[in-house]
PDB file of all heavy atoms in Angstrom:
ATOM      1  N   ASP D   1       2.089   8.377  -8.059  1.00 96.00           N
ATOM      2  CA  ASP D   1       0.720   8.573  -8.506  1.00 96.00           C
ATOM      3  C   ASP D   1       0.536   9.926  -9.235  1.00 96.00           C
ATOM      4  O   ASP D   1      -0.090   9.975 -10.261  1.00 96.00           O
ATOM      5  CB  ASP D   1      -0.257   8.494  -7.305  1.00 96.00           C
ATOM      6  CG  ASP D   1      -1.717   8.460  -7.702  1.00 96.00           C
ATOM      7  OD1 ASP D   1      -2.045   7.516  -8.501  1.00 96.00           O
ATOM      8  OD2 ASP D   1      -2.468   9.334  -7.297  1.00 96.00           O
ATOM      9  N   ALA D   2       1.179  10.972  -8.693  1.00 94.00           N
ATOM     10  CA  ALA D   2       1.108  12.260  -9.366  1.00 94.00           C
ATOM     11  C   ALA D   2       1.800  12.245 -10.729  1.00 94.00           C
ATOM     12  O   ALA D   2       1.302  12.822 -11.677  1.00 94.00           O
ATOM     13  CB  ALA D   2       1.797  13.290  -8.458  1.00 94.00           C
ATOM     14  N   ALA D   3       2.919  11.460 -10.816  1.00 93.00           N
ATOM     15  CA  ALA D   3       3.609  11.426 -12.114  1.00 93.00           C
ATOM     16  C   ALA D   3       2.838  10.632 -13.155  1.00 93.00           C
ATOM     17  O   ALA D   3       3.058  10.855 -14.345  1.00 93.00           O
ATOM     18  CB  ALA D   3       4.977  10.800 -11.881  1.00 93.00           C
ATOM     19  N   LEU D   4       1.921   9.753 -12.722  1.00 93.00           N
ATOM     20  CA  LEU D   4       1.209   8.896 -13.645  1.00 93.00           C
ATOM     21  C   LEU D   4      -0.147   9.431 -14.056  1.00 93.00           C
ATOM     22  O   LEU D   4      -0.865   8.827 -14.815  1.00 93.00           O
ATOM     23  CB  LEU D   4       1.059   7.514 -13.027  1.00 93.00           C
ATOM     24  CG  LEU D   4       2.390   6.731 -12.953  1.00 93.00           C
ATOM     25  CD1 LEU D   4       2.242   5.521 -12.048  1.00 93.00           C
ATOM     26  CD2 LEU D   4       2.833   6.264 -14.316  1.00 93.00           C
ATOM     27  N   ARG D   5      -0.561  10.546 -13.501  1.00 85.00           N
ATOM     28  CA  ARG D   5      -1.833  11.114 -13.883  1.00 85.00           C
ATOM     29  C   ARG D   5      -1.846  11.456 -15.367  1.00 85.00           C
ATOM     30  O   ARG D   5      -0.836  11.981 -15.895  1.00 85.00           O
ATOM     31  CB  ARG D   5      -2.116  12.346 -13.052  1.00 85.00           C
ATOM     32  CG  ARG D   5      -2.419  12.069 -11.572  1.00 85.00           C
ATOM     33  CD  ARG D   5      -3.583  11.129 -11.390  1.00 85.00           C
ATOM     34  NE  ARG D   5      -3.821  10.755 -10.010  1.00 85.00           N
ATOM     35  CZ  ARG D   5      -4.598   9.810  -9.630  1.00 85.00           C
ATOM     36  NH1 ARG D   5      -5.227   9.058 -10.507  1.00 85.00           N
ATOM     37  NH2 ARG D   5      -4.834   9.568  -8.359  1.00 85.00           N
ATOM     38  N   GLY D   6      -2.922  11.172 -16.031  1.00 75.00           N
ATOM     39  CA  GLY D   6      -2.990  11.447 -17.461  1.00 75.00           C
ATOM     40  C   GLY D   6      -2.888  10.163 -18.299  1.00 75.00           C
ATOM     41  O   GLY D   6      -2.885  10.227 -19.513  1.00 75.00           O
ATOM     42  N   ASN D   7      -2.774   8.966 -17.633  1.00 71.00           N
ATOM     43  CA  ASN D   7      -2.771   7.725 -18.375  1.00 71.00           C
ATOM     44  C   ASN D   7      -4.154   7.330 -18.762  1.00 71.00           C
ATOM     45  O   ASN D   7      -5.122   7.543 -18.061  1.00 71.00           O
ATOM     46  CB  ASN D   7      -2.179   6.614 -17.490  1.00 71.00           C
ATOM     47  CG  ASN D   7      -0.688   6.614 -17.444  1.00 71.00           C
ATOM     48  OD1 ASN D   7      -0.056   6.067 -18.336  1.00 71.00           O
ATOM     49  ND2 ASN D   7      -0.102   7.303 -16.479  1.00 71.00           N
ATOM     50  N   ASN D   8      -4.287   6.748 -19.958  1.00 61.00           N
ATOM     51  CA  ASN D   8      -5.513   6.095 -20.298  1.00 61.00           C
ATOM     52  C   ASN D   8      -5.684   4.876 -19.435  1.00 61.00           C
ATOM     53  O   ASN D   8      -4.708   4.095 -19.212  1.00 61.00           O
ATOM     54  CB  ASN D   8      -5.511   5.672 -21.767  1.00 61.00           C
ATOM     55  CG  ASN D   8      -5.507   6.853 -22.695  1.00 61.00           C
ATOM     56  OD1 ASN D   8      -6.097   7.912 -22.403  1.00 61.00           O
ATOM     57  ND2 ASN D   8      -4.832   6.760 -23.854  1.00 61.00           N
ATOM     58  N   ASP D   9      -6.883   4.648 -18.914  1.00 71.00           N
ATOM     59  CA  ASP D   9      -7.135   3.476 -18.042  1.00 71.00           C
ATOM     60  C   ASP D   9      -6.100   3.426 -16.940  1.00 71.00           C
ATOM     61  O   ASP D   9      -5.508   2.405 -16.636  1.00 71.00           O
ATOM     62  CB  ASP D   9      -7.101   2.168 -18.855  1.00 71.00           C
ATOM     63  CG  ASP D   9      -7.677   1.022 -18.097  1.00 71.00           C
ATOM     64  OD1 ASP D   9      -8.444   1.229 -17.135  1.00 71.00           O
ATOM     65  OD2 ASP D   9      -7.303  -0.136 -18.442  1.00 71.00           O
ATOM     66  N   GLY D  10      -5.885   4.578 -16.300  1.00 75.00           N
ATOM     67  CA  GLY D  10      -4.877   4.694 -15.272  1.00 75.00           C
ATOM     68  C   GLY D  10      -5.192   3.895 -14.038  1.00 75.00           C
ATOM     69  O   GLY D  10      -6.266   3.479 -13.789  1.00 75.00           O
ATOM     70  N   ALA D  11      -4.125   3.699 -13.214  1.00 91.00           N
ATOM     71  CA  ALA D  11      -4.277   3.008 -11.934  1.00 91.00           C
ATOM     72  C   ALA D  11      -3.740   3.937 -10.825  1.00 91.00           C
ATOM     73  O   ALA D  11      -2.850   4.752 -11.034  1.00 91.00           O
ATOM     74  CB  ALA D  11      -3.495   1.709 -11.953  1.00 91.00           C
ATOM     75  N   ASP D  12      -4.329   3.798  -9.673  1.00 94.00           N
ATOM     76  CA  ASP D  12      -3.924   4.564  -8.497  1.00 94.00           C
ATOM     77  C   ASP D  12      -2.662   3.946  -7.863  1.00 94.00           C
ATOM     78  O   ASP D  12      -2.641   2.790  -7.528  1.00 94.00           O
ATOM     79  CB  ASP D  12      -5.071   4.561  -7.492  1.00 94.00           C
ATOM     80  CG  ASP D  12      -4.863   5.441  -6.297  1.00 94.00           C
ATOM     81  OD1 ASP D  12      -3.744   5.983  -6.164  1.00 94.00           O
ATOM     82  OD2 ASP D  12      -5.777   5.624  -5.498  1.00 94.00           O
ATOM     83  N   TRP D  13      -1.614   4.765  -7.807  1.00 97.00           N
ATOM     84  CA  TRP D  13      -0.344   4.305  -7.197  1.00 97.00           C
ATOM     85  C   TRP D  13      -0.037   5.007  -5.918  1.00 97.00           C
ATOM     86  O   TRP D  13       1.104   5.010  -5.477  1.00 97.00           O
ATOM     87  CB  TRP D  13       0.782   4.467  -8.193  1.00 97.00           C
ATOM     88  CG  TRP D  13       0.759   3.401  -9.233  1.00 97.00           C
ATOM     89  CD1 TRP D  13       0.220   3.413 -10.500  1.00 97.00           C
ATOM     90  CD2 TRP D  13       1.376   2.086  -9.122  1.00 97.00           C
ATOM     91  NE1 TRP D  13       0.395   2.240 -11.147  1.00 97.00           N
ATOM     92  CE2 TRP D  13       1.127   1.387 -10.321  1.00 97.00           C
ATOM     93  CE3 TRP D  13       2.106   1.423  -8.123  1.00 97.00           C
ATOM     94  CZ2 TRP D  13       1.569   0.102 -10.546  1.00 97.00           C
ATOM     95  CZ3 TRP D  13       2.529   0.152  -8.312  1.00 97.00           C
ATOM     96  CH2 TRP D  13       2.255  -0.519  -9.513  1.00 97.00           C
ATOM     97  N   SER D  14      -1.028   5.656  -5.331  1.00 97.00           N
ATOM     98  CA  SER D  14      -0.809   6.371  -4.055  1.00 97.00           C
ATOM     99  C   SER D  14      -0.480   5.409  -2.952  1.00 97.00           C
ATOM    100  O   SER D  14      -0.680   4.207  -3.060  1.00 97.00           O
ATOM    101  CB  SER D  14      -2.053   7.238  -3.701  1.00 97.00           C
ATOM    102  OG  SER D  14      -3.100   6.361  -3.377  1.00 97.00           O
ATOM    103  N   TRP D  15      -0.024   5.961  -1.849  1.00 98.00           N
ATOM    104  CA  TRP D  15       0.283   5.148  -0.678  1.00 98.00           C
ATOM    105  C   TRP D  15      -0.961   4.374  -0.222  1.00 98.00           C
ATOM    106  O   TRP D  15      -0.905   3.197   0.152  1.00 98.00           O
ATOM    107  CB  TRP D  15       0.773   6.048   0.463  1.00 98.00           C
ATOM    108  CG  TRP D  15       0.984   5.376   1.773  1.00 98.00           C
ATOM    109  CD1 TRP D  15       0.357   5.597   2.955  1.00 98.00           C
ATOM    110  CD2 TRP D  15       1.935   4.289   2.092  1.00 98.00           C
ATOM    111  NE1 TRP D  15       0.769   4.772   3.923  1.00 98.00           N
ATOM    112  CE2 TRP D  15       1.758   3.985   3.433  1.00 98.00           C
ATOM    113  CE3 TRP D  15       2.876   3.576   1.330  1.00 98.00           C
ATOM    114  CZ2 TRP D  15       2.489   2.976   4.066  1.00 98.00           C
ATOM    115  CZ3 TRP D  15       3.590   2.603   1.965  1.00 98.00           C
ATOM    116  CH2 TRP D  15       3.437   2.306   3.346  1.00 98.00           C
ATOM    117  N   LYS D  16      -2.105   5.065  -0.279  1.00 97.00           N
ATOM    118  CA  LYS D  16      -3.356   4.412   0.145  1.00 97.00           C
ATOM    119  C   LYS D  16      -3.648   3.233  -0.722  1.00 97.00           C
ATOM    120  O   LYS D  16      -4.188   2.199  -0.294  1.00 97.00           O
ATOM    121  CB  LYS D  16      -4.500   5.455   0.032  1.00 97.00           C
ATOM    122  CG  LYS D  16      -5.834   4.920   0.443  1.00 97.00           C
ATOM    123  CD  LYS D  16      -6.931   5.981   0.356  1.00 97.00           C
ATOM    124  CE  LYS D  16      -8.307   5.397   0.751  1.00 97.00           C
ATOM    125  NZ  LYS D  16      -9.354   6.435   0.601  1.00 97.00           N
ATOM    126  N   ALA D  17      -3.276   3.259  -2.016  1.00 97.00           N
ATOM    127  CA  ALA D  17      -3.520   2.172  -2.952  1.00 97.00           C
ATOM    128  C   ALA D  17      -2.601   0.998  -2.815  1.00 97.00           C
ATOM    129  O   ALA D  17      -2.931  -0.179  -2.966  1.00 97.00           O
ATOM    130  CB  ALA D  17      -3.501   2.695  -4.392  1.00 97.00           C
ATOM    131  N   VAL D  18      -1.291   1.275  -2.504  1.00 98.00           N
ATOM    132  CA  VAL D  18      -0.293   0.200  -2.438  1.00 98.00           C
ATOM    133  C   VAL D  18      -0.225  -0.442  -1.071  1.00 98.00           C
ATOM    134  O   VAL D  18       0.186  -1.560  -0.936  1.00 98.00           O
ATOM    135  CB  VAL D  18       1.131   0.691  -2.895  1.00 98.00           C
ATOM    136  CG1 VAL D  18       1.062   1.247  -4.281  1.00 98.00           C
ATOM    137  CG2 VAL D  18       1.684   1.705  -1.906  1.00 98.00           C
ATOM    138  N   LEU D  19      -0.627   0.296   0.016  1.00 98.00           N
ATOM    139  CA  LEU D  19      -0.524  -0.244   1.337  1.00 98.00           C
ATOM    140  C   LEU D  19      -1.227  -1.583   1.504  1.00 98.00           C
ATOM    141  O   LEU D  19      -0.686  -2.501   2.208  1.00 98.00           O
ATOM    142  CB  LEU D  19      -1.026   0.775   2.366  1.00 98.00           C
ATOM    143  CG  LEU D  19      -0.981   0.365   3.836  1.00 98.00           C
ATOM    144  CD1 LEU D  19       0.460   0.002   4.259  1.00 98.00           C
ATOM    145  CD2 LEU D  19      -1.548   1.492   4.709  1.00 98.00           C
ATOM    146  N   PRO D  20      -2.425  -1.768   0.959  1.00 98.00           N
ATOM    147  CA  PRO D  20      -3.047  -3.138   1.126  1.00 98.00           C
ATOM    148  C   PRO D  20      -2.252  -4.277   0.550  1.00 98.00           C
ATOM    149  O   PRO D  20      -2.300  -5.378   1.083  1.00 98.00           O
ATOM    150  CB  PRO D  20      -4.388  -2.952   0.390  1.00 98.00           C
ATOM    151  CG  PRO D  20      -4.681  -1.473   0.436  1.00 98.00           C
ATOM    152  CD  PRO D  20      -3.345  -0.857   0.297  1.00 98.00           C
ATOM    153  N   HIS D  21      -1.458  -4.005  -0.489  1.00 98.00           N
ATOM    154  CA  HIS D  21      -0.585  -5.049  -1.018  1.00 98.00           C
ATOM    155  C   HIS D  21       0.523  -5.420  -0.031  1.00 98.00           C
ATOM    156  O   HIS D  21       0.787  -6.585   0.218  1.00 98.00           O
ATOM    157  CB  HIS D  21       0.037  -4.627  -2.346  1.00 98.00           C
ATOM    158  CG  HIS D  21      -0.982  -4.497  -3.442  1.00 98.00           C
ATOM    159  ND1 HIS D  21      -1.327  -5.524  -4.296  1.00 98.00           N
ATOM    160  CD2 HIS D  21      -1.743  -3.399  -3.869  1.00 98.00           C
ATOM    161  CE1 HIS D  21      -2.223  -5.123  -5.174  1.00 98.00           C
ATOM    162  NE2 HIS D  21      -2.491  -3.854  -4.919  1.00 98.00           N
ATOM    163  N   PHE D  22       1.156  -4.393   0.581  1.00 98.00           N
ATOM    164  CA  PHE D  22       2.148  -4.631   1.585  1.00 98.00           C
ATOM    165  C   PHE D  22       1.585  -5.389   2.762  1.00 98.00           C
ATOM    166  O   PHE D  22       2.111  -6.409   3.191  1.00 98.00           O
ATOM    167  CB  PHE D  22       2.774  -3.314   2.072  1.00 98.00           C
ATOM    168  CG  PHE D  22       3.737  -2.670   1.069  1.00 98.00           C
ATOM    169  CD1 PHE D  22       3.463  -1.405   0.549  1.00 98.00           C
ATOM    170  CD2 PHE D  22       4.888  -3.326   0.691  1.00 98.00           C
ATOM    171  CE1 PHE D  22       4.306  -0.818  -0.345  1.00 98.00           C
ATOM    172  CE2 PHE D  22       5.783  -2.713  -0.191  1.00 98.00           C
ATOM    173  CZ  PHE D  22       5.484  -1.468  -0.698  1.00 98.00           C
ATOM    174  N   ARG D  23       0.457  -4.912   3.275  1.00 98.00           N
ATOM    175  CA  ARG D  23      -0.152  -5.532   4.457  1.00 98.00           C
ATOM    176  C   ARG D  23      -0.586  -6.958   4.178  1.00 98.00           C
ATOM    177  O   ARG D  23      -0.488  -7.823   5.000  1.00 98.00           O
ATOM    178  CB  ARG D  23      -1.337  -4.681   4.985  1.00 98.00           C
ATOM    179  CG  ARG D  23      -0.923  -3.348   5.583  1.00 98.00           C
ATOM    180  CD  ARG D  23      -2.143  -2.646   6.238  1.00 98.00           C
ATOM    181  NE  ARG D  23      -2.448  -3.284   7.504  1.00 98.00           N
ATOM    182  CZ  ARG D  23      -3.542  -4.004   7.756  1.00 98.00           C
ATOM    183  NH1 ARG D  23      -4.410  -4.248   6.798  1.00 98.00           N
ATOM    184  NH2 ARG D  23      -3.777  -4.498   8.949  1.00 98.00           N
ATOM    185  N   GLY D  24      -1.176  -7.135   2.996  1.00 98.00           N
ATOM    186  CA  GLY D  24      -1.717  -8.508   2.624  1.00 98.00           C
ATOM    187  C   GLY D  24      -0.603  -9.566   2.503  1.00 98.00           C
ATOM    188  O   GLY D  24      -0.890 -10.730   2.824  1.00 98.00           O
ATOM    189  N   MET D  25       0.582  -9.143   2.152  1.00 98.00           N
ATOM    190  CA  MET D  25       1.668 -10.117   1.994  1.00 98.00           C
ATOM    191  C   MET D  25       2.404 -10.418   3.322  1.00 98.00           C
ATOM    192  O   MET D  25       3.189 -11.354   3.426  1.00 98.00           O
ATOM    193  CB  MET D  25       2.700  -9.652   0.970  1.00 98.00           C
ATOM    194  CG  MET D  25       2.172  -9.643  -0.459  1.00 98.00           C
ATOM    195  SD  MET D  25       3.511  -9.260  -1.664  1.00 98.00           S
ATOM    196  CE  MET D  25       3.693  -7.481  -1.380  1.00 98.00           C
ATOM    197  N   GLU D  26       2.187  -9.599   4.332  1.00 98.00           N
ATOM    198  CA  GLU D  26       3.025  -9.518   5.523  1.00 98.00           C
ATOM    199  C   GLU D  26       2.478 -10.396   6.667  1.00 98.00           C
ATOM    200  O   GLU D  26       1.280 -10.404   6.957  1.00 98.00           O
ATOM    201  CB  GLU D  26       3.110  -8.059   6.036  1.00 98.00           C
ATOM    202  CG  GLU D  26       4.032  -7.840   7.186  1.00 98.00           C
ATOM    203  CD  GLU D  26       4.036  -6.394   7.579  1.00 98.00           C
ATOM    204  OE1 GLU D  26       3.436  -5.537   6.906  1.00 98.00           O
ATOM    205  OE2 GLU D  26       4.721  -6.077   8.593  1.00 98.00           O
ATOM    206  N   ASP D  27       3.400 -11.121   7.271  1.00 98.00           N
ATOM    207  CA  ASP D  27       3.121 -11.826   8.526  1.00 98.00           C
ATOM    208  C   ASP D  27       4.141 -11.321   9.551  1.00 98.00           C
ATOM    209  O   ASP D  27       5.220 -11.861   9.704  1.00 98.00           O
ATOM    210  CB  ASP D  27       3.260 -13.343   8.385  1.00 98.00           C
ATOM    211  CG  ASP D  27       2.933 -14.092   9.678  1.00 98.00           C
ATOM    212  OD1 ASP D  27       2.192 -13.548  10.503  1.00 98.00           O
ATOM    213  OD2 ASP D  27       3.397 -15.219   9.829  1.00 98.00           O
ATOM    214  N   ASN D  28       3.761 -10.250  10.228  1.00 98.00           N
ATOM    215  CA  ASN D  28       4.698  -9.552  11.175  1.00 98.00           C
ATOM    216  C   ASN D  28       4.642 -10.237  12.539  1.00 98.00           C
ATOM    217  O   ASN D  28       3.530 -10.555  13.026  1.00 98.00           O
ATOM    218  CB  ASN D  28       4.330  -8.075  11.246  1.00 98.00           C
ATOM    219  CG  ASN D  28       5.516  -7.225  11.774  1.00 98.00           C
ATOM    220  OD1 ASN D  28       5.929  -7.340  12.896  1.00 98.00           O
ATOM    221  ND2 ASN D  28       5.940  -6.340  10.900  1.00 98.00           N
ATOM    222  N   ASN D  29       5.794 -10.405  13.146  1.00 97.00           N
ATOM    223  CA  ASN D  29       5.842 -11.087  14.450  1.00 97.00           C
ATOM    224  C   ASN D  29       5.661 -10.124  15.641  1.00 97.00           C
ATOM    225  O   ASN D  29       5.607 -10.606  16.774  1.00 97.00           O
ATOM    226  CB  ASN D  29       7.138 -11.843  14.631  1.00 97.00           C
ATOM    227  CG  ASN D  29       8.325 -11.021  14.999  1.00 97.00           C
ATOM    228  OD1 ASN D  29       8.371  -9.773  14.729  1.00 97.00           O
ATOM    229  ND2 ASN D  29       9.337 -11.636  15.589  1.00 97.00           N
ATOM    230  N   ARG D  30       5.495  -8.835  15.373  1.00 97.00           N
ATOM    231  CA  ARG D  30       5.294  -7.873  16.461  1.00 97.00           C
ATOM    232  C   ARG D  30       4.159  -6.891  16.225  1.00 97.00           C
ATOM    233  O   ARG D  30       3.455  -6.514  17.131  1.00 97.00           O
ATOM    234  CB  ARG D  30       6.627  -7.033  16.705  1.00 97.00           C
ATOM    235  CG  ARG D  30       6.449  -5.914  17.681  1.00 97.00           C
ATOM    236  CD  ARG D  30       7.795  -5.340  18.110  1.00 97.00           C
ATOM    237  NE  ARG D  30       8.646  -4.914  16.994  1.00 97.00           N
ATOM    238  CZ  ARG D  30       8.716  -3.646  16.533  1.00 97.00           C
ATOM    239  NH1 ARG D  30       7.997  -2.698  17.078  1.00 97.00           N
ATOM    240  NH2 ARG D  30       9.576  -3.380  15.546  1.00 97.00           N
ATOM    241  N   LEU D  31       3.954  -6.502  14.975  1.00 98.00           N
ATOM    242  CA  LEU D  31       3.045  -5.386  14.646  1.00 98.00           C
ATOM    243  C   LEU D  31       1.826  -5.827  13.910  1.00 98.00           C
ATOM    244  O   LEU D  31       1.893  -6.690  13.041  1.00 98.00           O
ATOM    245  CB  LEU D  31       3.809  -4.333  13.811  1.00 98.00           C
ATOM    246  CG  LEU D  31       5.047  -3.733  14.483  1.00 98.00           C
ATOM    247  CD1 LEU D  31       5.872  -2.991  13.426  1.00 98.00           C
ATOM    248  CD2 LEU D  31       4.665  -2.784  15.613  1.00 98.00           C
ATOM    249  N   LEU D  32       0.680  -5.322  14.317  1.00 98.00           N
ATOM    250  CA  LEU D  32      -0.585  -5.512  13.590  1.00 98.00           C
ATOM    251  C   LEU D  32      -1.360  -4.226  13.788  1.00 98.00           C
ATOM    252  O   LEU D  32      -1.934  -4.001  14.866  1.00 98.00           O
ATOM    253  CB  LEU D  32      -1.350  -6.748  14.075  1.00 98.00           C
ATOM    254  CG  LEU D  32      -2.711  -6.978  13.402  1.00 98.00           C
ATOM    255  CD1 LEU D  32      -2.531  -7.170  11.939  1.00 98.00           C
ATOM    256  CD2 LEU D  32      -3.403  -8.177  14.026  1.00 98.00           C
ATOM    257  N   ASN D  33      -1.401  -3.368  12.767  1.00 97.00           N
ATOM    258  CA  ASN D  33      -2.068  -2.097  12.896  1.00 97.00           C
ATOM    259  C   ASN D  33      -2.388  -1.588  11.459  1.00 97.00           C
ATOM    260  O   ASN D  33      -2.383  -2.372  10.512  1.00 97.00           O
ATOM    261  CB  ASN D  33      -1.178  -1.125  13.646  1.00 97.00           C
ATOM    262  CG  ASN D  33       0.237  -1.003  13.065  1.00 97.00           C
ATOM    263  OD1 ASN D  33       0.446  -1.090  11.855  1.00 97.00           O
ATOM    264  ND2 ASN D  33       1.201  -0.868  13.936  1.00 97.00           N
ATOM    265  N   ASP D  34      -2.617  -0.283  11.340  1.00 97.00           N
ATOM    266  CA  ASP D  34      -2.987   0.262  10.032  1.00 97.00           C
ATOM    267  C   ASP D  34      -1.824   0.110   9.013  1.00 97.00           C
ATOM    268  O   ASP D  34      -2.076   0.154   7.801  1.00 97.00           O
ATOM    269  CB  ASP D  34      -3.341   1.747  10.147  1.00 97.00           C
ATOM    270  CG  ASP D  34      -4.652   1.960  10.889  1.00 97.00           C
ATOM    271  OD1 ASP D  34      -5.414   0.971  10.985  1.00 97.00           O
ATOM    272  OD2 ASP D  34      -4.882   3.069  11.331  1.00 97.00           O
ATOM    273  N   TYR D  35      -0.611  -0.065   9.506  1.00 98.00           N
ATOM    274  CA  TYR D  35       0.567  -0.168   8.627  1.00 98.00           C
ATOM    275  C   TYR D  35       1.007  -1.602   8.351  1.00 98.00           C
ATOM    276  O   TYR D  35       1.746  -1.862   7.416  1.00 98.00           O
ATOM    277  CB  TYR D  35       1.722   0.650   9.184  1.00 98.00           C
ATOM    278  CG  TYR D  35       1.452   2.137   9.244  1.00 98.00           C
ATOM    279  CD1 TYR D  35       0.913   2.723  10.377  1.00 98.00           C
ATOM    280  CD2 TYR D  35       1.843   2.949   8.193  1.00 98.00           C
ATOM    281  CE1 TYR D  35       0.697   4.066  10.405  1.00 98.00           C
ATOM    282  CE2 TYR D  35       1.621   4.307   8.232  1.00 98.00           C
ATOM    283  CZ  TYR D  35       1.017   4.889   9.341  1.00 98.00           C
ATOM    284  OH  TYR D  35       0.801   6.243   9.378  1.00 98.00           O
ATOM    285  N   HIS D  36       0.641  -2.538   9.226  1.00 98.00           N
ATOM    286  CA  HIS D  36       1.237  -3.871   9.204  1.00 98.00           C
ATOM    287  C   HIS D  36       0.191  -4.909   9.235  1.00 98.00           C
ATOM    288  O   HIS D  36      -0.878  -4.784   9.862  1.00 98.00           O
ATOM    289  CB  HIS D  36       2.206  -4.016  10.318  1.00 98.00           C
ATOM    290  CG  HIS D  36       3.433  -3.162  10.227  1.00 98.00           C
ATOM    291  ND1 HIS D  36       4.483  -3.438   9.414  1.00 98.00           N
ATOM    292  CD2 HIS D  36       3.704  -2.008  10.824  1.00 98.00           C
ATOM    293  CE1 HIS D  36       5.385  -2.493   9.508  1.00 98.00           C
ATOM    294  NE2 HIS D  36       4.948  -1.592  10.345  1.00 98.00           N
ATOM    295  N   GLY D  37       0.533  -6.075   8.606  1.00 98.00           N
ATOM    296  CA  GLY D  37      -0.440  -7.202   8.538  1.00 98.00           C
ATOM    297  C   GLY D  37       0.110  -8.398   9.234  1.00 98.00           C
ATOM    298  O   GLY D  37       1.317  -8.518   9.566  1.00 98.00           O
TER     299      GLY D  37
END
């Protein structure tokens, strides 16, 4: 995210921004919390 600052029509690539994608795709057999879906 820091490396991409300065883009026109930029997108947030921080951990906070990508974590929902990881959690949304995940069906974990043990974990369900802020990190896992």
Side-chain angles (χ1 to χ4, degrees):
D1 190 56
L4 290 165
R5 291 301 177 192
N7 279 275
N8 293 327
D9 194 21
D12 186 352
W13 282 94
S14 67
W15 173 245
K16 181 179 178 181
V18 302
L19 180 57
H21 292 271
F22 285 118
R23 290 188 76 250
M25 291 187 286
E26 183 180 358
D27 181 25
N28 201 295
N29 78 337
R30 172 168 55 96
L31 300 166
L32 179 59
N33 52 36
D34 291 344
Y35 293 90
H36 294 281

